[in-house]
Structures are given as structure tokens and as C-alpha cells.
Amino acid sequence: MIRFLVIAIFLITFLVLSIPVFFVEWVIGKISRKKRDYSALRIVQWGFKCILKVTGVETIVIGEENIPDEPVLYIGNHRSFFDILLTYSRCPRLTGYIAKKEMEKIPLLSTWMRFVYCLFLDRENIKEGLKTILQAIEYIKQGISICIFPEGTRNKGEELSMLPFKDGAFKIATKTNCAIIPISMNNTAEIFENHFPKVKPTKVIIEYGKPIYPDQLDKETKKHIGAYVQDIIQTTINKNAELL
């Protein structure tokens, strides 16, 4: 419970102290948009790393060398709020996450999210959801990576289970032919969700799979690309469960 309180206090303090930082970032952006973008990225990553340090989590990372130096579509399984912190704190280049629409209403946090190219997905409105995907495609073309958890929500089932992947997310890759990087995560719900509201030190595993380029897949596999990527992640989390 103490860790939970420390994290809550840190997060609130970080957001409040961010108010003057937003002005500084705005000024930097007037001089150089690229410098502002990377400044915002590193500030957010620093905050996430501080929170992860408080949790006491031990992270085993496999396959990070598989991430090419180009905009990619990260696809991951999703069981914890901490999945975002664990993965975003490791992004080597500008990366926008696709988050649920409700997060857009959170003051200050949503401002930071916009600074780092996050998008807000309305899961109840197909037309608005399509606009979000189209914007993500534009970001890829601009050199910004995108991360999405295509289960659509946190999976609260058994540890090695996954919800069906939603196909819409994969249009970001098929329309741009950017590399898809599977992210397979084990044991992340054990940080917090499995014993809410306590935050407990634990060991998690993150494995980055080899890049998947849609135009290199055969016609049938490309047609069912969501199931193909999900099968890769499922196989990987099953394998890595033995390492815990």
C-alpha cells in the first residue's frame, strides 16, 4: 500500500509541476519541433522509469535488438496499466500510443499524451475510430512509431490467455508497410491488478519479436494478419512463462 501511495503522490506532483514545463516545451517547439518532441519523450520516459523504480519490478528484456531504426507498429498483449510504462520507457524513438477516449478527459496527463503523439480511440464510434487509425497512418508516414494493444482493453482472464485481436489496428501496417513488432509480456498484472490496491515487486518478461513486414507475407497470411501476430505473441508468452 505504501508503494501505491508513493506512486500516486509522485504522479500528482509530476503533473502539477508540469504546468510551467508545458510553456517551456512550447517555446522549444517554436525553435525546433524535433527538439521539443524528443524533450517531451525523454521527460515522460524519466517519469515512467521513476514510477517503475518505486514498484521494485525486475524486468527481463529479450529481443530489443529486433527493433529497426524506423517507424514501426508495436503490437502487444495487455494485462496491466503498467504495460504502458514498461514499454514506453524503452521506446528508442518518437512513439504514440493509442489509448481509450476516456483518457482524453484527464487534465495535464492528456496534455502530455498529445505532446508525445498519443491518439484517443472512441471504441463505440466506428467513424471516429477510423479517423484515429487514419491519423496513426499519417504519423507512421511522418516517422513516428505507433503502439496499440489490439485486444481493445485489459485482459482480466488467466495469465497466459488473450482476448481476440481487433483487425482494425493492423491497417496501420498494411497501409504503410511499416514493420510490425510483436511485444509479448508476462506477469505484468502481478505488479498491481492481481492484488489491487497493493503494488508489489515482481519479475516480468518483455520480448520483442522479429519485424513482420506485411508485403512479405503470403496473401492468405496477410488476410488474417491479426491472428498471425496474435499466434506469435501467444507462443512467446507460453514459452517465457517457464522463465518465471
Side-chain angles (χ1 to χ4, degrees), residues 8-225:
I9 292 169
F10 175 86
L11 183 57
I12 293 169
T13 304
F14 177 89
L15 292 175
V16 172
L17 294 179
S18 291
I19 296 173
V21 176
F22 291 142
F23 176 73
V24 175
E25 290 293 304
W26 178 80
V27 172
I28 294 173
K30 289 296 182 180
I31 300 169
S32 170
R33 182 62 178 265
K34 183 177 180 180
K35 287 183 179 178
R36 191 220 73 171
D37 287 347
Y38 275 95
S39 172
L41 171 67
R42 300 312 177 202
I43 289 171
V44 173
Q45 288 182 322
W46 173 83
F48 283 176
K49 288 175 182 177
C50 288
I51 292 173
L52 291 171
K53 192 171 184 64
V54 173
T55 68
V57 65
E58 177 189 347
T59 309
I60 298 173
V61 181
I62 303 169
E64 207 162 16
E65 69 280 0
N66 289 326
I67 304 173
D69 186 19
E70 61 192 51
V72 302
L73 175 64
Y74 294 104
I75 294 289
N77 60 311
H78 190 28
R79 292 185 53 80
S80 172
F81 292 119
F82 283 91
D83 295 341
I84 298 166
L85 282 70
L86 287 161
T87 54
Y88 194 78
S89 61
R90 309 193 72 86
C91 289
R93 57 186 296 141
L94 296 178
T95 303
Y97 275 50
I98 295 184
K100 59 184 180 181
K101 184 74 173 176
E102 291 78 2
M103 295 195 72
E104 193 173 19
K105 300 176 183 178
I106 303 175
L108 302 179
L109 178 61
S110 59
T111 305
W112 272 117
M113 292 177 73
R114 291 189 188 93
F115 264 36
V116 293
Y117 294 96
C118 289
L119 296 169
F120 302 96
L121 179 65
D122 187 341
R123 294 174 291 187
E124 305 301 322
N125 188 320
I126 296 176
K127 185 177 180 180
E128 290 302 313
L130 178 58
K131 287 182 181 179
T132 301
I133 296 300
L134 291 174
Q135 183 59 65
I137 290 171
E138 285 304 309
Y139 280 170
I140 290 286
K141 292 178 180 178
Q142 293 171 28
I144 300 163
S145 295
I146 293 293
C147 181
I148 189 168
F149 302 113
E151 290 170 278
T153 187
R154 283 182 300 116
N155 175 18
K156 300 174 184 177
E158 295 296 323
E159 167 61 24
L160 299 180
S161 68
M162 279 192 289
L163 301 173
F165 279 9
K166 298 183 184 300
D167 291 332
F170 294 89
K171 294 185 184 297
I172 300 168
T174 57
K175 296 296 184 181
T176 62
N177 197 45
C178 72
I180 298 170
I181 302 296
I183 306 178
S184 308
M185 290 178 279
N186 288 71
N187 212 36
T188 59
E190 189 59 28
I191 301 173
F192 179 59
E193 283 78 6
N194 287 352
H195 33 70
F196 174 87
K198 294 181 179 180
V199 174
K200 292 186 176 182
T202 190
K203 180 190 293 185
V204 303
I205 300 174
I206 303 173
E207 180 164 346
Y208 296 89
K210 292 182 179 179
I212 301 165
Y213 291 92
D215 69 348
Q216 295 178 5
L217 301 174
D218 62 68
K219 185 177 180 180
E220 191 63 23
T221 302
K222 187 175 180 180
K223 184 178 178 181
H224 302 287
I225 193 168

